[in-house]
């Protein structure tokens, strides 16, 4: 079974004042309707409050900026066929296993980059984040990231602009959605790239970024505390043998697109929902990657 979810330091400090802060934030917002109202459930407001250390004014500004972004970027309306070309090499996909706390796992392989259009790359990433959230098990709100640097080099390096936009989207529009991000065995030349990128990363997010090196026992043990090594592939030092099958993954994403349409009420026959947790609308969690071949 999954480990019981633990409360963060911010949760403990907020204590009994949390419901009051959530109510205060909701009252401070302009009247919401449609999908904006659906997005802004209590769990969502708590995430924005925690991201801004329970400062209502700062949380309000952050949330309003996210609502503006969502109204223009329209993440809920992205469908797999629009971004499928980005996934042909398996450079990013949701795994068919969870971490030890039951979180959805997003696998990124930057060495498999196959396109150059930044806009569509970000659209693909946002689609996968939305999909991972939609498929979170009950009582979980966060995603774990595994980044495999196999094949990464300066020739296929992610541009600084792309890395900066990724960080911006994740920490400003999906606050408290990242549980942990393991960067597995990056080459030494990545250090120069990281020195630039880390200036875009806020302290809360930085604490969740962990470097893992096979010869560093402590870093490996940390990753083992989050993952069953029987699930992880050999690229991550595990025993699994996950093979990305683009056609199979595409079929699964097409099925999830139907679920997403129902969740966000693009399906007019689906009753209104008032949250942002798959457990409330789709308690059965589906595999989001091809079966592991052992």
């Amino acid at each position: 079974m999954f480990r019981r979810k633990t409360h963060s330091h911010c949760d403990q400090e907020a204590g009994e004042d949390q419901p009051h802060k959530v109510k205060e934030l909701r009252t401070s917002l302009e009247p919401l309707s449609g999908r904006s109202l659906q997005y802004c459930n209590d769990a969502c407001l708590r995430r924005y409050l925690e991201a801004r250390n329970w400062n209502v004014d700062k949380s309000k500004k952050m949330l309003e900026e996210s609502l503006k972004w969502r109204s223009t970027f329209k993440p809920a309306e992205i469908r797999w066929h629009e971004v499928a070309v980005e996934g042909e090499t398996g450079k990013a996909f949701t795994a068919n296993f969870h971490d030890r706390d039951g979180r959805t796992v997003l696998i990124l392989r930057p060495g498999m980059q196959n396109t150059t259009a930044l806009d569509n790359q970000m659209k693909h990433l946002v689609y996968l984040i939305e999909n991972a959230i939609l498929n979170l098990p009950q009582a979980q709100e966060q995603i774990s990231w595994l980044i495999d640097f196999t094949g990464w080099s300066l020739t296929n390096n992610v541009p600084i602009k792309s890395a900066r936009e990724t960080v911006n989207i994740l920490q400003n529009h999906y606050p408290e959605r990242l549980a942990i991000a393991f960067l597995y065995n990056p080459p030494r030349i990545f250090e120069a790239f990281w020195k630039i990128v880390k200036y875009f990363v806020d302290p809360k997010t930085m604490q969740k970024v962990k470097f893992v090196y096979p010869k560093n026992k402590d870093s490996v043990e940390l990753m083992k505390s989050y993952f069953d090594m029987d699930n992880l592939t050999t690229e991550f030092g595990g025993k699994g043998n996950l093979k990305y099958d683009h056609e199979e993954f595409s079929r699964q994403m097409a099925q999830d697109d139907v679920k997403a349409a129902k969740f966000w009420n693009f399906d007019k026959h689906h009753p209104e929902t008032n949250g942002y947790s798959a457990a409330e609308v789709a308690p059965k969690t589906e595999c989001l990657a091809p079966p592991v071949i052992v």
Side-chain angles (χ1 to χ4, degrees):
M1 296 296 292
F2 302 136
R3 296 184 300 197
R4 181 177 297 177
K5 184 178 178 181
T6 58
H7 294 288
S8 70
H9 179 66
C10 286
D11 284 334
Q12 295 171 355
E13 285 199 344
E16 296 180 357
D17 201 34
Q18 283 190 15
H20 171 72
K21 292 285 188 179
V22 170
K23 184 177 180 180
E24 185 180 347
L25 175 56
R26 185 175 299 282
T27 303
S28 72
L29 297 171
E30 294 292 329
L32 301 172
S33 61
R35 278 177 281 280
S36 291
L37 177 61
Q38 182 180 347
Y39 178 75
C40 292
N41 67 351
D42 285 355
C44 173
L45 300 189
R46 283 194 296 270
R47 286 191 295 273
Y48 279 84
L49 283 163
E50 185 161 339
R52 291 296 179 261
N53 295 316
W54 295 85
N55 181 300
V56 174
D57 290 337
K58 292 181 179 179
S59 301
K60 176 187 176 183
K61 180 180 179 181
M62 184 185 194
L63 179 53
E64 288 177 339
E65 289 174 351
S66 285
L67 290 174
K68 182 178 179 180
W69 175 79
R70 293 184 72 86
S71 71
T72 55
F73 201 95
K74 301 185 184 301
E77 297 181 30
I78 304 171
R79 295 295 175 260
W80 177 247
H81 68 86
E82 301 173 45
V83 296
V85 64
E86 298 288 342
E88 288 180 351
T89 60
K91 67 184 178 187
F93 61 97
T94 41
N96 67 340
F97 58 86
H98 297 91
D99 70 9
R100 294 188 189 275
D101 283 318
R103 305 181 185 99
T104 306
V105 178
L106 185 60
I107 296 177
L108 284 77
R109 303 190 291 185
M112 306 290 284
Q113 182 59 265
N114 63 323
T115 63
T116 57
L118 176 60
D119 289 349
N120 214 48
Q121 289 173 359
M122 292 301 102
K123 193 174 182 180
H124 176 235
L125 179 65
V126 167
Y127 173 88
L128 290 176
I129 294 174
E130 290 278 323
N131 180 270
I133 293 171
L134 185 70
N135 284 283
L136 280 170
Q138 190 170 2
Q140 271 298 348
E141 298 183 22
Q142 296 183 314
I143 307 166
S144 291
W145 289 37
L146 284 171
I147 305 176
D148 169 24
F149 282 88
T150 301
W152 187 92
S153 68
L154 290 177
T155 58
N156 59 12
N157 181 22
V158 176
I160 295 295
K161 183 178 180 181
S162 177
R164 183 174 184 174
E165 184 62 14
T166 297
V167 171
N168 170 60
I169 288 173
L170 181 62
Q171 67 187 20
N172 293 327
H173 302 311
Y174 293 94
E176 297 303 312
R177 285 300 194 182
L178 176 65
I180 194 80
F182 285 107
L183 283 64
Y184 190 82
N185 202 26
R188 290 187 62 86
I189 55 174
F190 178 76
E191 294 178 7
F193 178 79
W194 177 247
K195 285 180 180 179
I196 299 173
V197 173
K198 70 179 183 181
Y199 287 108
F200 310 140
V201 183
D202 67 35
K204 276 181 172 286
T205 303
M206 183 67 75
Q207 292 177 3
K208 301 175 182 180
V209 177
K210 308 296 180 182
F211 287 78
V212 180
Y213 298 95
K215 294 182 180 180
N216 184 310
K217 183 178 179 180
D218 289 342
S219 67
V220 171
E221 289 301 315
L222 177 63
M223 191 168 73
K224 286 182 178 179
S225 73
Y226 279 84
F227 296 97
D228 183 338
M229 300 306 285
D230 288 337
N231 288 331
L232 294 185
T233 62
T234 54
E235 289 84 356
F236 293 105
K239 302 176 183 179
N241 187 25
L242 176 65
K243 300 296 183 182
Y244 178 78
D245 184 323
H246 185 62
E247 291 186 6
E248 175 62 23
F249 190 74
S250 294
R251 283 192 289 269
Q252 293 168 4
M253 292 302 97
Q255 293 174 4
D256 275 356
D257 282 350
V258 175
K259 183 163 65 175
K262 289 181 178 180
F263 179 82
W264 290 110
N265 301 305
F266 290 109
D267 181 342
K268 63 181 179 181
H269 300 296
H270 189 74
E272 289 288 333
T273 57
N274 189 32
Y276 195 33
S277 168
E280 298 173 9
V281 294
K284 181 179 179 182
T285 303
E286 300 176 10
C287 287
L288 301 182
V292 175
I293 302 172
V294 180

